Amino acid sequence: MGEQTGTSARIAGQRDPSEGGTPPVIDAAFARWLADRAGQVLLQVREDVGYADGKALKAAGDKAAHDLLTAELARWRPADAVLSEEDDHSRVAWQEGEHGTVRPDRLDASRVWIIDPLDGTREFSEEGRSDWAVHVALWTADCSSPNCLAAGAVAMPARHRTFATDKAPAYPPLPLAAATGGPMRIAASRTRPPAFVTALAEDIGAELVPMGSAGVKIAAVINGEADAYIHAGGQYEWDSAAPVAVASATGLHASRIDGSALKYNQADPKLPDLVVCRKDLAPRLLAALQRHLP
């Protein structure tokens, strides 16, 4: 594992700092630029490390993408704070008081980049799978939206697609199945679908569509491959910030499963549940969720 992790370090270290050129000035385009660059590094890690040791491949990918994103943010946005899944200091849940923890810088910053260098590590380590992603989002204190997400990008390198707020995707058209009374399609974890989501799907006659990566699941709602994504338990801000920023820019509904606003850059970055769906489906889904909340 140490040798493989060293491989990712060499990959990151061998990059020419000017390789990506001068990035865009506008934050939303910058987020897309960052996500795309990290995605290219991850594809290279897959090629160089291989799939024989999945655990080593996951570790190499996480490190290489995290190192690239944090280096570029330090270079091009040095005054901004960063909340990353791979940074133990920034991700810690802050507690005030005698037995509290060190207050992370991000809680006093006006601009915070919330990043998940590799979302869907299990799928990343499996040859042939493309349902993994890079998440880059920007939270700002000076905001008018409830979630305060000013920009976001979700790169899906193995699918050669990136969704970002600089060119927000069009609102997905009403699918023929839904228009003709067919079952709603709910994106769900392919390995650990929450029991209440299965019960909810049976209640409303919906079909579960299994796939990996929270970003890929929300992207599926954005591009019309699914009608909704519902999750509860085990997620953090970096799992949803970038895809929620894009979904919101597209005009989709995004909230906690009780209908309240998603809030980011909180003292505790745990953000365990959310629902993203077409706006016309939100009242029906939120009402059904009240009958099945865990």
Side-chain angles (χ1 to χ4, degrees):
M1 178 174 177
E3 181 182 349
Q4 301 287 20
T5 303
T7 300
S8 72
R10 288 195 296 276
I11 291 169
Q14 289 168 358
R15 288 189 309 99
D16 182 342
S18 62
E19 180 182 337
T22 302
V25 174
I26 303 299
D27 287 323
F30 180 62
R32 179 192 291 272
W33 181 86
L34 282 175
D36 282 344
R37 292 205 64 204
Q40 291 305 308
V41 166
L42 286 166
L43 290 174
Q44 188 65 51
V45 170
R46 262 185 150 187
E47 183 175 332
D48 291 350
V49 177
Y51 301 91
D53 186 340
K55 189 175 180 181
L57 180 56
K58 293 175 190 176
D62 273 330
K63 183 178 186 332
H66 172 79
D67 288 351
L68 180 138
L69 291 174
T70 53
E72 297 294 9
L73 285 167
R75 181 183 184 193
W76 298 107
R77 298 293 193 273
D80 296 350
V82 178
L83 168 59
S84 171
E85 181 184 20
E86 303 304 320
D87 185 330
D88 289 340
H89 174 64
S90 71
R91 61 175 282 167
V92 67
W94 179 64
Q95 290 183 313
E96 195 171 14
E98 181 182 357
H99 302 291
T101 54
V102 176
R103 183 179 174 86
D105 297 340
R106 63 181 178 82
L107 293 179
D108 299 312
S110 59
R111 290 165 51 93
V112 180
W113 293 90
I114 302 175
I115 61 174
D116 189 346
L118 175 53
D119 182 60
T121 51
R122 179 195 296 265
E123 288 73 24
F124 173 75
S125 69
E126 296 179 12
E127 187 171 12
R129 295 205 67 90
S130 63
D131 46 349
W132 50 276
V134 179
H135 295 179
V136 178
L138 174 64
W139 173 94
T140 60
D142 180 13
C143 64
S144 56
S145 65
N147 58 36
C148 289
L149 296 173
V154 179
M156 294 166 280
R159 297 184 177 186
H160 309 290
R161 299 197 71 176
T162 299
F163 288 162
T165 55
D166 61 333
K167 299 175 184 175
Y171 192 79
L174 184 65
L176 179 61
T180 55
M184 185 188 308
R185 301 159 302 167
I186 300 177
S189 170
R190 74 182 181 99
T191 56
R192 294 171 296 172
F196 85 96
V197 172
T198 303
L200 180 143
E202 292 174 354
D203 180 10
I204 62 176
E207 171 190 357
L208 294 182
V209 183
M211 60 184 76
S213 166
V216 171
K217 294 186 188 81
I218 296 175
V221 182
I222 293 171
N223 67 22
E225 293 176 13
D227 303 306
Y229 169 50
I230 300 168
H231 184 85
Q235 285 195 349
Y236 293 83
E237 293 184 12
W238 46 81
D239 291 308
S240 65
V244 162
V246 180
S248 299
T250 299
L252 292 164
H253 171 89
S255 73
R256 301 286 302 271
I257 58 175
D258 63 0
S260 62
L262 293 157
K263 294 185 178 181
Y264 294 90
N265 196 32
Q266 301 297 296
D268 183 350
K270 190 172 184 179
L271 187 50
D273 60 75
L274 83 164
V275 53
V276 177
C277 64
R278 299 172 51 84
K279 280 195 170 178
D280 53 298
L281 298 177
R284 179 183 173 193
L285 275 177
L286 290 171
L289 278 164
Q290 297 311 304
R291 301 193 293 271
H292 295 279
L293 284 177

